[in-house]
Amino acid sequence: MLDESLLDAPDALALADHTGLLRGAAEAGARVRTALRHTAEAGITGLAPEGRPRAVLIAGSGAAATGVADLIAALTTSAAPVTRLRPTGVAAAAGALRWTLPGWAGPVDLLLIATTEGSEPGLALLAEQAYRRGCTVVAVAPRQSPLSEVVGGTHGLMVPMATAPNGQNSPPYGQNGPYGQAGEPGRSGLDEWYEPEETPAAGPGALWALLVPLLALLDRVGLLTAPAETLQLVADRLDRTAERCGPAVATYSNPAKTLAAELADSLPLIWTEGQAAAPAGRRFAAVLAELTGRPALAAELPEALPAHSALLAGHFAGGAADPDDFFRDRVEEPQAWRARVVLLRDRPAGGLTAAPAARELALGHDTAISELEPEEGSELEALAELVAVTDFATVYLALAGAAPA
């Protein structure tokens, strides 16, 4: 059950946030700027490659690395094939995972490694294997990690992962910012409230710390468009979204808190439309599962309509239980799940949209629907806004509620 009263109690939210999830969401823009600085210091912005790689291979562990691979695959489209190298092993532990290059990988291919740990022996072995094959290796990992030493020793390019700025580079929230009067210019306002424990790898800040250097690199090799100016706009969009979605902003005017309240006791069906919305929806489903224990299903329109229509008509339908049945045992009976459609939209290809059909299908089965659509801007800005709002919503669900019974 979701404790909606906690949503409008910023002090209580901060006390419940033992792993710094709210801080990570609020400082996403600052993390982008730090990552840009590390990217420039590593020499990526000055690269002058002679041509494009034949293929891009991506390896990494955890939800953040999976999200990075999905986002890069969506943004590069047909410029070059993007393949995520999936790990194998006997357990989902850093020491047990192993990655293997495909047999065709060679000197004309690019291997990207993204990890929030940098201690996985399998990634170090992968970097050495790529060196022997002649692949170009670029890694983003914590500074002074074992992986950074291996990549440096195999003539690869290492970019230190941007760490949390601890308030020093945070956006100027002030009295109207997400942390209310506790915030000061250039600070998040949370420093006086609590000292967070280690942030989970699925936390909001990790995604941007790993993604930004790789976007800048792929811009230099001509596989996508992400110049430094655009990435600065992404950081600004993340800051503005944090101002709208922060804990001091009341639920009625806070899109992230509103979405969290709407998803209480529901099975989210995340329907996406547009190139930027698709990976944002898949990430939303992944972090909901990892941070809140709440299952969710993501699908792209229009394929989502036939794929999920049976869910809307079956046990999870909005009208599956009779709310007017006076003799129902409301004490012993567990709260029933109800499907709720979350429609994430970006600019649809060709101007055609399946949104009206999606609304008609949902409402025709008495299923509630939530909609998120970003402001005008570049594809990366739209993606950043959708990811930021859904990240904040996930954090509020994690702090104010548990997985439905």
Side-chain angles (χ1 to χ4, degrees):
M1 297 292 293
L2 184 74
D3 183 0
E4 294 192 32
S5 64
L6 189 63
L7 292 178
D8 287 324
D11 290 342
L13 281 172
L15 290 174
D17 188 12
H18 302 296
T19 55
L21 292 174
L22 278 173
R23 180 192 293 273
E27 294 180 339
R31 193 76 77 99
V32 170
R33 296 185 182 92
T34 304
L36 280 173
R37 186 174 69 251
H38 290 177
T39 300
E41 292 171 352
I44 286 180
T45 54
L47 290 177
E50 297 179 356
R52 295 180 176 181
R54 177 182 61 178
V56 177
L57 306 170
I58 304 179
S61 59
T66 301
V68 166
D70 193 14
L71 290 168
I72 288 177
L75 293 170
T76 54
T77 61
S78 60
V82 177
T83 301
R84 180 190 169 219
L85 302 181
R86 300 181 182 275
T88 59
V90 297
L97 298 176
R98 292 293 182 270
W99 290 261
T100 303
L101 286 175
W104 48 262
V108 294
D109 301 311
L110 172 63
L111 172 65
L112 306 178
I113 300 177
T115 173
T116 57
E117 297 184 21
S119 60
E120 303 93 334
L123 289 178
L125 293 173
L126 178 67
E128 293 173 349
Q129 182 186 12
Y131 172 69
R132 292 192 298 269
R133 295 270 198 96
C135 297
T136 300
V137 180
V138 178
V140 183
R143 195 187 300 269
Q144 304 302 325
S145 63
L147 178 63
S148 66
E149 299 177 4
V150 171
V151 172
T154 56
H155 305 286
L157 180 59
M158 179 68 202
V159 182
M161 176 182 167
T163 56
N166 296 322
Q168 296 179 0
N169 298 317
S170 300
Y173 292 136
Q175 292 187 354
N176 296 323
Y179 299 104
Q181 295 183 357
E184 299 176 1
R187 303 191 62 187
S188 67
L190 285 177
D191 298 304
E192 296 84 358
W193 291 2
Y194 72 106
E195 193 66 33
E197 301 168 4
E198 183 179 358
T199 302
L207 173 74
W208 298 107
L210 297 177
L211 179 62
V212 168
L214 301 182
L215 289 178
L217 171 70
L218 295 176
D219 173 78
R220 297 301 300 171
V221 300
L223 294 184
L224 52 77
T225 302
E229 297 79 12
T230 298
L231 294 174
Q232 290 287 356
L233 292 175
V234 167
D236 295 340
R237 179 70 67 94
L238 290 170
D239 286 347
R240 292 198 302 272
T241 305
E243 290 173 0
R244 293 191 295 120
C245 298
V249 181
T251 300
Y252 68 85
S253 59
N254 186 320
K257 288 183 179 180
T258 299
L259 180 57
E262 291 172 345
L263 291 180
D265 307 313
S266 70
L267 173 67
L269 302 181
I270 304 168
W271 295 353
T272 63
E273 185 172 60
Q275 189 172 343
R282 290 189 289 268
R283 171 179 164 79
F284 188 23
V287 296
L288 276 173
E290 186 158 343
L291 296 183
T292 73
R294 178 182 299 268
L297 299 174
E300 298 181 43
L301 291 176
E303 289 87 352
L305 304 182
H308 291 171
S309 60
L311 291 170
L312 301 183
H315 178 71
F316 299 103
D322 183 4
D324 297 325
D325 184 357
F326 181 79
F327 297 101
R328 288 169 54 215
D329 188 343
R330 290 168 171 80
V331 177
E332 299 296 333
E333 179 182 322
Q335 180 69 38
W337 279 9
R338 295 290 176 263
R340 186 180 187 98
V341 172
V342 180
L343 181 57
L344 305 183
R345 298 184 63 203
D346 189 25
R347 297 177 294 273
L352 300 175
T353 176
R359 298 186 190 102
E360 182 179 356
L361 178 63
L363 298 178
H365 289 89
D366 296 323
T367 300
I369 185 168
S370 304
E371 296 192 38
L372 291 178
E373 188 170 351
E375 300 174 358
E376 291 294 326
S378 67
E379 185 178 38
L380 275 174
E381 291 175 84
L383 172 66
E385 183 176 338
L386 291 174
V387 168
V389 174
T390 53
D391 275 354
F392 265 106
T394 303
V395 169
Y396 290 130
L397 278 170
L399 299 181

mmCIF file of all heavy atoms in Angstrom, residues 42 110-111 113 127-128 130-131 135-140 147-159:
data_model
loop_
_atom_site.group_PDB
_atom_site.id
_atom_site.type_symbol
_atom_site.label_atom_id
_atom_site.label_comp_id
_atom_site.label_asym_id
_atom_site.label_seq_id
_atom_site.Cartn_x
_atom_site.Cartn_y
_atom_site.Cartn_z
ATOM 1 N N ALA A 42 39.366 13.314 -20.702
ATOM 2 C CA ALA A 42 39.845 12.054 -21.275
ATOM 3 C C ALA A 42 40.219 12.195 -22.741
ATOM 4 O O ALA A 42 40.796 11.263 -23.318
ATOM 5 C CB ALA A 42 38.779 10.972 -21.112
ATOM 6 N N LEU A 110 33.962 -1.553 -32.309
ATOM 7 C CA LEU A 110 34.135 -0.732 -31.112
ATOM 8 C C LEU A 110 33.466 -1.425 -29.935
ATOM 9 O O LEU A 110 32.275 -1.772 -29.993
ATOM 10 C CB LEU A 110 33.511 0.645 -31.338
ATOM 11 C CG LEU A 110 33.426 1.601 -30.130
ATOM 12 C CD1 LEU A 110 34.817 1.961 -29.623
ATOM 13 C CD2 LEU A 110 32.648 2.861 -30.520
ATOM 14 N N LEU A 111 34.218 -1.646 -28.864
ATOM 15 C CA LEU A 111 33.682 -2.232 -27.640
ATOM 16 C C LEU A 111 33.538 -1.148 -26.585
ATOM 17 O O LEU A 111 34.510 -0.471 -26.234
ATOM 18 C CB LEU A 111 34.593 -3.348 -27.121
ATOM 19 C CG LEU A 111 34.225 -3.902 -25.730
ATOM 20 C CD1 LEU A 111 32.857 -4.587 -25.763
ATOM 21 C CD2 LEU A 111 35.300 -4.868 -25.227
ATOM 22 N N ILE A 113 32.385 -0.458 -22.633
ATOM 23 C CA ILE A 113 32.157 -1.110 -21.343
ATOM 24 C C ILE A 113 31.639 -0.064 -20.370
ATOM 25 O O ILE A 113 32.254 0.994 -20.199
ATOM 26 C CB ILE A 113 33.449 -1.752 -20.801
ATOM 27 C CG1 ILE A 113 33.970 -2.805 -21.780
ATOM 28 C CG2 ILE A 113 33.205 -2.374 -19.440
ATOM 29 C CD1 ILE A 113 35.285 -3.429 -21.348
ATOM 30 N N ALA A 127 38.059 -7.008 -21.840
ATOM 31 C CA ALA A 127 38.909 -5.952 -22.375
ATOM 32 C C ALA A 127 40.210 -6.532 -22.930
ATOM 33 O O ALA A 127 40.700 -6.107 -23.991
ATOM 34 C CB ALA A 127 39.203 -4.913 -21.286
ATOM 35 N N GLU A 128 40.779 -7.510 -22.240
ATOM 36 C CA GLU A 128 42.009 -8.134 -22.734
ATOM 37 C C GLU A 128 41.747 -8.921 -24.017
ATOM 38 O O GLU A 128 42.565 -8.892 -24.956
ATOM 39 C CB GLU A 128 42.576 -9.048 -21.652
ATOM 40 C CG GLU A 128 43.067 -8.285 -20.420
ATOM 41 C CD GLU A 128 43.470 -9.208 -19.295
ATOM 42 O OE1 GLU A 128 43.164 -10.424 -19.397
ATOM 43 O OE2 GLU A 128 44.073 -8.734 -18.309
ATOM 44 N N ALA A 130 39.416 -8.249 -26.220
ATOM 45 C CA ALA A 130 39.215 -7.273 -27.281
ATOM 46 C C ALA A 130 40.551 -6.706 -27.764
ATOM 47 O O ALA A 130 40.744 -6.467 -28.971
ATOM 48 C CB ALA A 130 38.310 -6.152 -26.781
ATOM 49 N N TYR A 131 41.485 -6.502 -26.849
ATOM 50 C CA TYR A 131 42.811 -5.999 -27.229
ATOM 51 C C TYR A 131 43.522 -6.984 -28.151
ATOM 52 O O TYR A 131 44.121 -6.595 -29.165
ATOM 53 C CB TYR A 131 43.626 -5.731 -25.965
ATOM 54 C CG TYR A 131 45.074 -5.402 -26.233
ATOM 55 C CD1 TYR A 131 45.432 -4.206 -26.845
ATOM 56 C CD2 TYR A 131 46.085 -6.293 -25.869
ATOM 57 C CE1 TYR A 131 46.763 -3.900 -27.097
ATOM 58 C CE2 TYR A 131 47.409 -5.998 -26.104
ATOM 59 C CZ TYR A 131 47.742 -4.795 -26.727
ATOM 60 O OH TYR A 131 49.065 -4.499 -26.980
ATOM 61 N N CYS A 135 40.143 -4.877 -31.333
ATOM 62 C CA CYS A 135 38.994 -3.977 -31.158
ATOM 63 C C CYS A 135 39.415 -2.723 -30.391
ATOM 64 O O CYS A 135 40.269 -2.768 -29.502
ATOM 65 C CB CYS A 135 37.879 -4.667 -30.382
ATOM 66 S SG CYS A 135 37.156 -6.098 -31.191
ATOM 67 N N THR A 136 38.784 -1.612 -30.714
ATOM 68 C CA THR A 136 38.953 -0.398 -29.917
ATOM 69 C C THR A 136 38.076 -0.513 -28.676
ATOM 70 O O THR A 136 36.894 -0.849 -28.762
ATOM 71 C CB THR A 136 38.542 0.842 -30.720
ATOM 72 O OG1 THR A 136 39.359 0.929 -31.891
ATOM 73 C CG2 THR A 136 38.704 2.103 -29.894
ATOM 74 N N VAL A 137 38.653 -0.233 -27.507
ATOM 75 C CA VAL A 137 37.944 -0.391 -26.239
ATOM 76 C C VAL A 137 37.824 0.969 -25.554
ATOM 77 O O VAL A 137 38.831 1.678 -25.388
ATOM 78 C CB VAL A 137 38.666 -1.380 -25.302
ATOM 79 C CG1 VAL A 137 37.904 -1.522 -23.985
ATOM 80 C CG2 VAL A 137 38.812 -2.732 -25.978
ATOM 81 N N VAL A 138 36.615 1.327 -25.166
ATOM 82 C CA VAL A 138 36.357 2.532 -24.376
ATOM 83 C C VAL A 138 35.511 2.115 -23.190
ATOM 84 O O VAL A 138 34.486 1.437 -23.355
ATOM 85 C CB VAL A 138 35.626 3.620 -25.193
ATOM 86 C CG1 VAL A 138 35.347 4.832 -24.322
ATOM 87 C CG2 VAL A 138 36.449 4.011 -26.417
ATOM 88 N N ALA A 139 35.927 2.485 -21.989
ATOM 89 C CA ALA A 139 35.221 2.072 -20.774
ATOM 90 C C ALA A 139 34.885 3.279 -19.919
ATOM 91 O O ALA A 139 35.647 4.253 -19.861
ATOM 92 C CB ALA A 139 36.064 1.081 -19.977
ATOM 93 N N VAL A 140 33.743 3.202 -19.250
ATOM 94 C CA VAL A 140 33.357 4.174 -18.224
ATOM 95 C C VAL A 140 33.170 3.378 -16.938
ATOM 96 O O VAL A 140 32.314 2.479 -16.870
ATOM 97 C CB VAL A 140 32.062 4.915 -18.580
ATOM 98 C CG1 VAL A 140 31.747 5.967 -17.518
ATOM 99 C CG2 VAL A 140 32.166 5.558 -19.953
ATOM 100 N N LEU A 147 39.181 -2.433 -13.289
ATOM 101 C CA LEU A 147 38.931 -2.366 -14.729
ATOM 102 C C LEU A 147 39.662 -1.193 -15.361
ATOM 103 O O LEU A 147 40.187 -1.316 -16.480
ATOM 104 C CB LEU A 147 37.430 -2.251 -14.992
ATOM 105 C CG LEU A 147 37.023 -2.128 -16.464
ATOM 106 C CD1 LEU A 147 37.410 -3.378 -17.237
ATOM 107 C CD2 LEU A 147 35.525 -1.867 -16.592
ATOM 108 N N SER A 148 39.719 -0.066 -14.663
ATOM 109 C CA SER A 148 40.397 1.098 -15.238
ATOM 110 C C SER A 148 41.877 0.819 -15.464
ATOM 111 O O SER A 148 42.456 1.266 -16.462
ATOM 112 C CB SER A 148 40.219 2.317 -14.311
ATOM 113 O OG SER A 148 40.883 2.120 -13.081
ATOM 114 N N GLU A 149 42.490 0.056 -14.575
ATOM 115 C CA GLU A 149 43.898 -0.292 -14.750
ATOM 116 C C GLU A 149 44.090 -1.227 -15.943
ATOM 117 O O GLU A 149 45.036 -1.086 -16.718
ATOM 118 C CB GLU A 149 44.425 -0.930 -13.471
ATOM 119 C CG GLU A 149 44.360 -0.003 -12.256
ATOM 120 C CD GLU A 149 44.834 -0.689 -10.992
ATOM 121 O OE1 GLU A 149 45.277 -1.868 -11.093
ATOM 122 O OE2 GLU A 149 44.746 -0.084 -9.911
ATOM 123 N N VAL A 150 43.175 -2.180 -16.108
ATOM 124 C CA VAL A 150 43.290 -3.132 -17.220
ATOM 125 C C VAL A 150 43.103 -2.418 -18.550
ATOM 126 O O VAL A 150 43.865 -2.635 -19.502
ATOM 127 C CB VAL A 150 42.262 -4.261 -17.056
ATOM 128 C CG1 VAL A 150 42.218 -5.136 -18.306
ATOM 129 C CG2 VAL A 150 42.604 -5.106 -15.834
ATOM 130 N N VAL A 151 42.093 -1.558 -18.647
ATOM 131 C CA VAL A 151 41.828 -0.842 -19.899
ATOM 132 C C VAL A 151 43.013 0.054 -20.255
ATOM 133 O O VAL A 151 43.444 0.121 -21.411
ATOM 134 C CB VAL A 151 40.528 -0.033 -19.804
ATOM 135 C CG1 VAL A 151 40.350 0.857 -21.028
ATOM 136 C CG2 VAL A 151 39.332 -0.970 -19.656
ATOM 137 N N GLY A 152 43.552 0.743 -19.247
ATOM 138 C CA GLY A 152 44.719 1.573 -19.515
ATOM 139 C C GLY A 152 45.913 0.762 -19.967
ATOM 140 O O GLY A 152 46.684 1.204 -20.829
ATOM 141 N N GLY A 153 46.060 -0.443 -19.421
ATOM 142 C CA GLY A 153 47.192 -1.273 -19.786
ATOM 143 C C GLY A 153 47.051 -1.923 -21.149
ATOM 144 O O GLY A 153 48.051 -2.414 -21.697
ATOM 145 N N THR A 154 45.858 -1.948 -21.708
ATOM 146 C CA THR A 154 45.642 -2.541 -23.032
ATOM 147 C C THR A 154 45.418 -1.466 -24.089
ATOM 148 O O THR A 154 44.851 -1.748 -25.145
ATOM 149 C CB THR A 154 44.436 -3.494 -23.003
ATOM 150 O OG1 THR A 154 43.286 -2.785 -22.540
ATOM 151 C CG2 THR A 154 44.701 -4.678 -22.086
ATOM 152 N N HIS A 155 45.868 -0.252 -23.799
ATOM 153 C CA HIS A 155 45.797 0.869 -24.750
ATOM 154 C C HIS A 155 44.354 1.255 -25.102
ATOM 155 O O HIS A 155 44.090 1.793 -26.171
ATOM 156 C CB HIS A 155 46.570 0.540 -26.042
ATOM 157 C CG HIS A 155 47.982 0.136 -25.802
ATOM 158 N ND1 HIS A 155 48.959 1.033 -25.441
ATOM 159 C CD2 HIS A 155 48.578 -1.086 -25.851
ATOM 160 C CE1 HIS A 155 50.102 0.390 -25.281
ATOM 161 N NE2 HIS A 155 49.901 -0.890 -25.527
ATOM 162 N N GLY A 156 43.438 0.977 -24.182
ATOM 163 C CA GLY A 156 42.073 1.439 -24.358
ATOM 164 C C GLY A 156 41.900 2.835 -23.782
ATOM 165 O O GLY A 156 42.815 3.409 -23.183
ATOM 166 N N LEU A 157 40.696 3.379 -23.950
ATOM 167 C CA LEU A 157 40.385 4.720 -23.447
ATOM 168 C C LEU A 157 39.486 4.579 -22.234
ATOM 169 O O LEU A 157 38.417 3.970 -22.307
ATOM 170 C CB LEU A 157 39.696 5.545 -24.530
ATOM 171 C CG LEU A 157 39.307 6.979 -24.151
ATOM 172 C CD1 LEU A 157 40.527 7.782 -23.725
ATOM 173 C CD2 LEU A 157 38.595 7.653 -25.313
ATOM 174 N N MET A 158 39.911 5.143 -21.115
ATOM 175 C CA MET A 158 39.179 5.034 -19.858
ATOM 176 C C MET A 158 38.633 6.392 -19.457
ATOM 177 O O MET A 158 39.368 7.385 -19.421
ATOM 178 C CB MET A 158 40.122 4.503 -18.769
ATOM 179 C CG MET A 158 39.479 4.383 -17.414
ATOM 180 S SD MET A 158 38.233 3.095 -17.373
ATOM 181 C CE MET A 158 37.255 3.653 -15.980
ATOM 182 N N VAL A 159 37.322 6.470 -19.172
ATOM 183 C CA VAL A 159 36.696 7.702 -18.683
ATOM 184 C C VAL A 159 36.193 7.443 -17.271
ATOM 185 O O VAL A 159 35.386 6.533 -17.060
ATOM 186 C CB VAL A 159 35.518 8.137 -19.582
ATOM 187 C CG1 VAL A 159 34.924 9.446 -19.074
ATOM 188 C CG2 VAL A 159 35.952 8.275 -21.022
#
